[in-house]
Amino acid sequence: MTSELDIFVGNTTLIDEDVYRLWLDGYSVSDAVALRVRSGILEQTGATAAVLQSDTMDHYRTFHMLERLLHAPPKLLHQLIFQIPPSRQALLIERYYAFDEAFVREVLGKKLSKGTKKDLDDISTKTGITLKSCRRQFDNFKRVFKVVEEMRGSLVDNIQQHFLLSDRLARDYAAIVFFANNRFETGKKKLQYLSFGDFAFCAELMIQNWTLGAVGEAPTDPDSQVDDMDMDLDKEFLQDLKELKVLVADKDLLDLHKSLVCTALRGKLGVFSEMEANFKNLSRGLVNVAAKLTHTKDVRDLFVDLVEKFIEPCRSDHWPLNDVRLFLNQYSASVHSLDGFRFACSGCIT
């Protein structure tokens, strides 16, 4: 009695990008095989169904073995078990940490805890993303957060150093970490028109202008516990924003500020008449949002308040995007403390 045994010996670990994508998307081996069959691979290669099944299973085993290394990407670069070219290593890491916008939009700003993880079944059903893929993405967010939350220095640089991500993906993860740390509300119905890219834009500018790292207030004591320079909002900056209340509390200042803004924008705005008529309400809305940011709850509701107090009034008067930008720039030009605050407004406008 004889039996056939196929043996393949090689030095370089073969990575099929299509199978890797199916594995990352959370498909089982049988589902992955069915999808590969439907893609016409059997006709293209002349392989049998049995060979395709074996090939898919072999790739899945390899990916499962690589996964523990992908949890700490520098280990993948320095291990000797899998002979993988650098370009392939970079691809494996980048795609493992890539995420679906529909998924991140559901968890953005939420605490990366077991409580949120329990909601992944519902998120999977709502988004159509497999539960396994949802879990991978959530665990990636949580892993990156845990690694960088106590680090000093640039959030983006720390993420790139420890996870070897591209600059764009590292910036996206910095936004996710920043929102999770500050627990910004993003799930309310009136915020659903905003994409992850909109919030990531806001996060990047807020990190640059609102945090301790932004104002360069590094502790002089080397043993200081102020570590998360790019993650926590600068409390002194938020306290300074309270002083802006004088702009709406003092009638003379309010009138002067309106005069300065209107003089500068006359002939430049298509909605100048609407802006002039509604200036006081818009100013009160912006200042009141800014002045409340010393309270944790109001920080969390920042984007909700901005939409209610500023964006929706502009929408109702049909402001073009460029007019909104011109107004915010001129509005803040005479108020130095608002120079950083205006960035959050800009990100909420589409």
Side-chain angles (χ1 to χ4, degrees):
M1 181 178 179
T2 61
S3 60
E4 294 184 358
L5 179 64
D6 294 327
I7 300 175
F8 174 81
V9 178
N11 186 42
T12 301
T13 301
L14 300 177
I15 304 293
D16 187 305
E17 294 182 30
D18 293 332
V19 181
Y20 187 48
R21 169 50 57 195
L22 292 170
W23 179 75
L24 290 174
D25 286 345
Y27 291 106
S28 65
V29 171
S30 58
D31 288 340
V33 170
L35 288 169
R36 295 184 77 188
V37 168
R38 284 202 289 272
S39 74
I41 192 171
L42 294 182
E43 292 78 10
Q44 296 167 15
T45 63
T48 65
V51 168
L52 185 64
Q53 173 85 11
S54 177
D55 177 70
T56 305
M57 290 180 63
D58 184 58
H59 276 94
Y60 267 52
R61 280 192 293 267
T62 299
F63 300 147
H64 282 301
M65 289 187 287
L66 286 170
E67 189 164 22
R68 64 180 180 82
L69 298 172
L70 290 167
H71 290 172
K75 291 183 178 179
L76 178 63
L77 269 62
H78 299 117
Q79 56 80 36
L80 300 175
I81 299 174
F82 300 97
Q83 301 299 310
I84 305 174
S87 60
R88 281 299 202 197
Q89 291 177 344
L91 179 145
L92 288 170
I93 295 167
E94 192 79 359
R95 293 195 179 177
Y96 187 80
Y97 283 91
F99 53 81
D100 294 292
E101 179 160 331
F103 175 76
V104 72
R105 191 62 186 80
E106 292 295 321
V107 301
L108 188 65
K110 294 182 178 179
K111 190 174 183 180
L112 300 175
S113 63
K114 291 182 180 178
T116 303
K117 194 169 185 177
K118 290 179 181 178
D119 297 332
L120 296 186
D121 282 311
D122 293 335
I123 293 175
S124 173
T125 301
K126 180 179 178 179
T127 61
I129 301 168
T130 65
L131 180 58
K132 188 173 182 180
S133 181
C134 287
R135 286 173 176 164
R136 173 183 61 81
Q137 295 178 57
F138 180 84
D139 288 343
N140 285 345
F141 298 162
K142 185 175 181 179
R143 184 180 309 110
V144 172
F145 183 94
K146 289 295 184 183
V147 168
V148 303
E149 66 174 329
E150 299 297 334
M151 290 183 178
R152 291 183 55 185
S154 166
L155 191 53
V156 174
D157 289 348
N158 288 335
I159 291 172
Q160 284 188 297
Q161 179 182 349
H162 289 83
F163 292 92
L164 309 179
L165 305 182
S166 66
D167 180 72
R168 182 65 267 162
L169 189 55
R171 291 181 184 280
D172 286 343
Y173 267 86
I176 294 166
V177 168
F178 182 72
F179 267 66
N181 183 64
N182 292 287
R183 304 285 300 281
F184 292 113
E185 173 61 59
T186 67
K188 292 290 179 65
K189 185 176 181 180
K190 62 180 55 187
L191 298 179
Q192 291 307 302
Y193 77 96
L194 293 168
S195 67
F196 169 72
D198 295 326
F199 284 117
F201 173 80
C202 293
E204 185 167 350
L205 291 169
M206 290 169 75
I207 289 171
Q208 292 172 3
N209 293 276
W210 292 39
T211 63
L212 286 172
V215 296
E217 293 185 2
T220 55
D221 180 2
D223 296 323
S224 171
Q225 296 302 306
V226 183
D227 292 334
D228 39 3
M229 303 288 287
D230 267 4
M231 290 180 63
D232 287 336
L233 299 176
D234 176 21
K235 293 180 180 178
E236 288 188 16
F237 166 73
L238 298 182
Q239 193 67 36
D240 288 344
L241 290 177
K242 292 184 70 174
E243 299 177 9
L244 295 171
K245 293 178 74 173
V246 70
L247 286 175
V248 294
D250 187 310
K251 184 179 183 304
D252 290 338
L253 277 179
L254 178 57
D255 290 340
L256 176 59
H257 191 205
K258 176 181 177 179
S259 176
L260 289 171
V261 173
C262 290
T263 299
L265 294 179
R266 193 177 303 276
K268 298 179 180 178
L269 295 187
V271 291
F272 180 83
S273 297
E274 291 84 347
M275 181 276 294
E276 187 176 32
N278 205 28
F279 180 88
K280 292 182 180 180
N281 289 331
L282 293 174
S283 185
R284 286 194 183 95
L286 288 172
V287 169
N288 287 336
V289 171
K292 295 192 301 179
L293 293 178
T294 52
H295 305 292
T296 302
K297 183 184 182 303
D298 291 307
V299 170
R300 291 179 181 175
D301 289 339
L302 170 63
F303 294 98
V304 177
D305 291 340
L306 280 175
V307 168
E308 289 180 349
K309 303 291 176 59
F310 182 75
I311 305 303
E312 289 181 346
C314 290
R315 277 180 168 177
S316 67
D317 283 338
H318 308 290
W319 284 45
L321 175 58
N322 191 56
D323 281 7
V324 178
R325 288 173 173 162
L326 286 172
F327 172 78
L328 286 172
N329 287 334
Q330 188 57 50
Y331 183 89
S332 62
S334 59
V335 189
H336 181 70
S337 296
L338 270 182
D339 206 30
F341 180 73
R342 66 188 172 92
F343 289 128
C345 306
S346 301
C348 293
I349 306 161
T350 60

